[in-house]
């Protein structure tokens, strides 16, 4: 298994929690429309990532803030 495969598998196992989403559904990816969104952590920085197309949300210092930024972004028409 390659390092990339291991990293992608780790991303797929780190979904936002019910509490981070405040009971709402995760918004779909603005580019591909999929709802397979996961959190990524690098050192002390967190961001949401679409595991289908790879688009990433803004990086923040906490998981909850990263999820809030993903949820509040402007939806593309």
């Amino acid at each position: 298994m390659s390092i990339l495969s291991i990293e992608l598998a780790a991303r797929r196992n780190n979904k936002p929690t019910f509490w981070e989403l405040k009971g709402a559904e995760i918004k779909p990816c603005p580019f591909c429309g999929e709802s397979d969104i996961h959190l990524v952590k690098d050192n002390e920085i967190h961001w949401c990532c679409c595991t289908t197309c790879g688009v990433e949300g803004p990086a923040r210092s906490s998981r909850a803030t990263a999820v809030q930024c993903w949820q509040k972004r402007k939806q593309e028409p």
Side-chain angles (χ1 to χ4, degrees), residues 27-74:
K27 286 190 177 179
C29 174
F31 294 97
C32 70
E34 293 294 324
S35 294
D36 194 16
I37 309 302
H38 298 272
L39 281 158
V40 181
K41 179 181 178 190
D42 185 21
N43 294 322
E44 297 302 317
I45 303 297
H46 305 264
W47 65 92
C48 289
C49 175
C50 174
T51 57
T52 303
C53 72
V55 72
E56 297 178 340
R60 296 293 184 255
S61 60
S62 75
R63 286 176 55 104
T65 308
V67 171
Q68 288 173 8
C69 287
W70 180 269
Q71 293 292 85
K72 289 182 180 178
R73 78 195 187 301
K74 184 176 180 180

Side-chain angles (χ1 to χ4, degrees), residues 12-27:
R12 290 186 182 103
N13 294 324
N14 195 14
K15 290 189 174 197
T17 66
F18 175 83
W19 304 110
E20 290 165 339
L21 290 168
K22 298 182 179 178
E25 294 287 324
I26 189 79
K27 286 190 177 179

